[in-house]
Amino acid sequence: MIESYARRRFLQFSTAALSMQGSLRAWEPSILKGEDKWVRSVCEMCSSRCAIEVRVVDQKPVWLQGNAFDARMHSSICARGLSGVSQLYDQDRLRTPLMRVGQRGENRWREASWDEALAFVASSMQRLKQNYGAQSMLFSSKTGESFDLLSSFAANYGSPNTFSHWSSCPIAIESALEQTFGERAYRDFEHADYIVNFGHNLFEGLDIPLSKAMARFAANPSKKLIVLDPRFSIMAGKADEWYPIKAGQDLAFVLSLLHVWLRDAKYDHAFVRRYCIGLDALKASLKETTPQWQERYTGIDAKTIERLADEIYRAAPRCILDWGHKATTSPAEFQRTRAILIANVLMGNVEKKGGIYFAKTPETLNALLQEPLFPLLQSPYPAPEVGIARIDGAGEEGSAYRFVPKKHGVLNAIADAILTQQPYAIKGWFLTRHNPLVTVADPQKMRTAMASLDLIVVNDIYMSDTAMMADVVLPESTYLERDESIHLHHGLVPSYTMRNRALTPLHRTRSLHEIVRSLADALGFSHAYPWKTMQELRAYQAKGNSALLESLVKRGYVQATIPHLFVREEASVRAFCERYAHVEPRHVAEMFERRRKTPSGKIELFCAHIEKAFAGYGVPCAVDMDVQQNYPYTLISGKSAIHTNAHTQNVPYLHALMPDNPLWMHPSTAKAHGLRPNDTCYIENEIGKEKVKVFLTEGIRPDTLFLYMGFGRQTPLLPKIDRKGSSASKLLSLKTAPVCGAMITNTGVRIVRA
């Protein structure tokens, strides 16, 4: 019987969660008196940003749960979400601005007032702008409201060099969707009958609504879940069939499925003929990708491919080949994701119940219904065009990263740009809750590059590895301590959420809004932000829609109750038109018939513009699948249900549940190297060498090793996590995947005895 490390941690959490609830009940007679209210808000313990409710007693948050106004959530919340109160009261949080007094990275600081810290940042930025140009400053953040605000701040300052976390996480998915459909697509797990999952572990990389839908799917005996993953993840444990595919070889598996369907003419001919372009090029590319061909790459028997291809076809269109969320990352990442999208297209599941669909935006629904049912928002974060080339060439014709959005950039390009000072001098970096010394490849080189900068400003909740290199550290208020703007969520029906603070900040912390507003004043472009308070910002964003604002303050989540609309599903269209009698089915069909936002105006099986820039990449084909690089083992990494990347390791509740990340290793691999459980050894390659503790499990391929992300930190001010666990990033190359610029997180390593 296999019991994975992750599964044991989950069981530990369940016990801890029950004990915390029991403790809360025990407190009620003495503590839960006086003012007792619920505040509806939005979680930020990970980037899923689920709708939540916060119980506040006498101005103190004491409990968190899902927001019942969001029917997908009810009261559900994950371990990370539940620990928001633990983070709030963590004694290791940053409490006041800090300024460096020793050498960069020496860990010598003094406390400063906000006025002094912000004045130093503003004067330093002004000096760099005068001496080297505004482009000499970099700005980075994870995506979300902080990134939108920071991008606006950078543009108004005059720098084109903004970076999100996309290139280290979902950029291949975003790029493949853009090039294939011209827009994002979404998956209807709830109504699917058959799902093929490529390592998209929703039970650890949690998004509560999606995870609950997947849990219901997996528990239904009439449905089928196929999981391909080199390790026995929690998702694999829920599967009807698990295939421990060789790391990085997902592309070969999908290409063989496509080969079988085209060979046997088992695909939706009418849909492909009407809505797609490039079928002949696709057929030509797949002539040799037979089920027998893929065996040597994936380790999966050819007969299995034939059977699965037939099963998926019979289940169509209520089938989904799940492209996932950073499920695997190899040099073939763009091709892999495009192949998965095209597999869905051939099955004709687009805009079908139980398949995939496009967002029903407020603009399109209002136009269809001929009434302003859904509020339109305006951005409070203006970002004027900056006529200066980026350091990475993202979005610029002729660049290797021409198909990467200018706004998001390529993180792996930063270190070399700083060290070479090409295409121009880089002297400063402003980071908000972004920790590239843990989350980006080759942090050794990044640390060297950062050491040469004139100015580093970090805004964060904790003293991160990156903050250790800063000149100024600005303490961020937690999400429970700050109000934020309205956020629009796309899907079958538009919905709106708004973060409402549960209490005033406990310490001398500020939100990024307050920081940016102050710096904009000092730098001379306060006119870009006419709002001075969050209430003014929200009113501007909502265009004065007081009813929306009042609902969001009270409920935290707003969604109109209209029928879910799948445009190519006759019953769905009929139900929608019965609800809105003035809407005719042909009007609904026009939503899908409209020209797609691709160069051809159709779904592109073959992308001529990609082929022109990257020969051989216009259509999925067998390229760039090697991740082992002549090393004996492939190291892979992934998310934990307990922690969020490099964000939560110090949160007391979560640290108690998962204090480190031992290396998953198959017993036969350990035996070959004379290793036993809990032994230490090294894994190494030409990039780096990392000490690891061994965790033995049969739930992983013998040629594969696995680490959870976010550990192996260098943070003396966080003693609980300083130098605990191991970092996969220290073994990753700065090489990126062609076309999309994705960071490659599967890499070859060898094992060395300690």
Side-chain angles (χ1 to χ4, degrees), residues 159-213:
S159 175
N161 292 313
T162 56
F163 296 85
S164 77
H165 79 293
W166 266 24
S167 63
S168 63
C169 197
I171 198 166
I173 298 163
E174 300 289 350
S175 181
L177 287 168
E178 177 71 19
Q179 303 305 331
T180 306
F181 298 122
E183 61 182 300
R184 288 184 181 178
Y186 302 81
R187 296 144 297 181
D188 181 25
F189 294 145
E190 197 75 54
H191 300 105
D193 292 330
Y194 201 112
I195 294 177
V196 182
N197 177 287
F198 297 89
H200 183 203
N201 191 3
L202 272 169
F203 300 127
E204 293 191 85
L206 290 161
D207 177 306
I208 293 298
L210 284 178
S211 298
K212 291 177 72 174

Side-chain angles (χ1 to χ4, degrees), residues 74-88:
H74 294 289
S75 61
S76 302
I77 199 168
C78 72
R80 294 172 291 194
L82 187 61
S83 71
V85 173
S86 180
Q87 181 188 67
L88 174 70

Side-chain angles (χ1 to χ4, degrees), residues 21 24 28 32 34-42 51-69 74-77 81-82 85 480 498-503 550-557:
Q21 292 183 42
L24 184 62
E28 287 183 357
L32 303 186
E35 184 188 31
D36 189 341
K37 64 178 181 179
W38 289 90
V39 176
R40 275 86 191 190
S41 190
V42 178
I52 60 168
E53 300 178 345
V54 187
R55 189 178 185 184
V56 182
V57 178
D58 286 342
Q59 321 249 337
K60 296 179 181 178
V62 298
W63 186 249
L64 293 164
Q65 64 185 37
N67 185 346
F69 285 110
H74 294 289
S75 61
S76 302
I77 199 168
L82 187 61
V85 173
L480 294 174
M498 191 167 75
R499 179 168 289 132
N500 298 303
R501 73 180 188 182
L503 75 164
E550 289 171 8
S551 295
L552 286 170
V553 168
K554 180 179 179 180
R555 300 161 62 100
Y557 180 89

Side-chain angles (χ1 to χ4, degrees), residues 305-318:
I305 298 293
E306 297 279 4
R307 174 177 60 83
L308 293 178
D310 183 63
E311 288 181 2
I312 297 166
Y313 175 71
R314 291 176 183 276
R318 290 200 174 196

Side-chain angles (χ1 to χ4, degrees), residues 101-165:
V101 296
Q103 297 297 312
R104 190 178 299 286
E106 191 180 4
N107 193 31
R108 293 178 58 201
W109 310 92
R110 67 173 177 86
E111 294 185 357
S113 69
W114 274 100
D115 286 345
E116 180 188 13
L118 292 175
F120 176 84
V121 173
S123 63
S124 299
M125 289 180 65
Q126 192 63 44
R127 173 177 52 81
L128 293 182
K129 185 174 184 178
Q130 290 171 351
N131 293 341
Y132 304 101
Q135 70 272 17
S136 66
M137 279 289 298
L138 310 179
F139 298 83
S140 66
S141 166
K142 65 179 181 179
T143 52
E145 183 159 3
S146 62
F147 179 63
D148 293 338
L149 177 56
L150 195 66
S151 297
S152 169
F153 178 60
N156 282 283
Y157 173 72
S159 175
N161 292 313
T162 56
F163 296 85
S164 77
H165 79 293

